[in-house]
Amino acid sequence: PERYRGTARLYNRGTDILDVWMDSGVSWNMVLRNDRVADVYFEGCDQYRGWFQSSLLTSAAIRGTAPYRNLLTHGFVVDEHGSKMSK
């Protein structure tokens, strides 16, 4: 928004993102109770090292198996400059 232009100097960029990946990576625990496994995880192709990986690692460590049977990824719509248009 226009009212925030020029205020970037007021903010510090965070580098501690482990908690974000852990939070999303264990979301299967609330959704897939009683040792259930999702048929598919569907997400953008930029999530191989993010949500897919953290979900796999945490589930394998805790339950000994992946939280999903299949992964389905998609690409992104881009604008006229080739920039990703998402979120």
Side-chain angles (χ1 to χ4, degrees):
E2 188 64 36
R3 69 178 184 223
Y4 295 110
R5 291 194 187 274
T7 64
R9 61 182 167 66
L10 301 174
Y11 302 96
N12 294 318
R13 183 177 184 163
T15 57
D16 182 10
I17 60 167
L18 177 62
D19 62 331
V20 174
W21 291 121
M22 289 303 291
D23 285 349
S24 67
V26 295
S27 61
W28 55 264
N29 190 42
M30 294 303 294
V31 178
L32 303 170
R33 295 277 187 185
N34 301 320
D35 295 325
R36 290 175 31 211
V37 176
D39 289 329
V40 64
Y41 265 31
F42 180 67
E43 185 59 82
C45 58
D46 61 341
Q47 291 302 311
Y48 287 118
R49 293 180 299 159
W51 184 51
F52 292 154
Q53 185 74 358
S54 61
S55 295
L56 175 61
L57 292 175
T58 56
S59 182
I62 294 169
R63 302 190 316 172
T65 187
Y68 46 79
R69 289 186 185 91
N70 299 288
L71 295 175
L72 181 60
T73 61
H74 57 79
F76 297 97
V77 174
V78 295
D79 65 13
E80 66 274 9
H81 305 291
S83 297
K84 180 175 77 167
M85 296 174 60
S86 65
K87 299 186 176 115

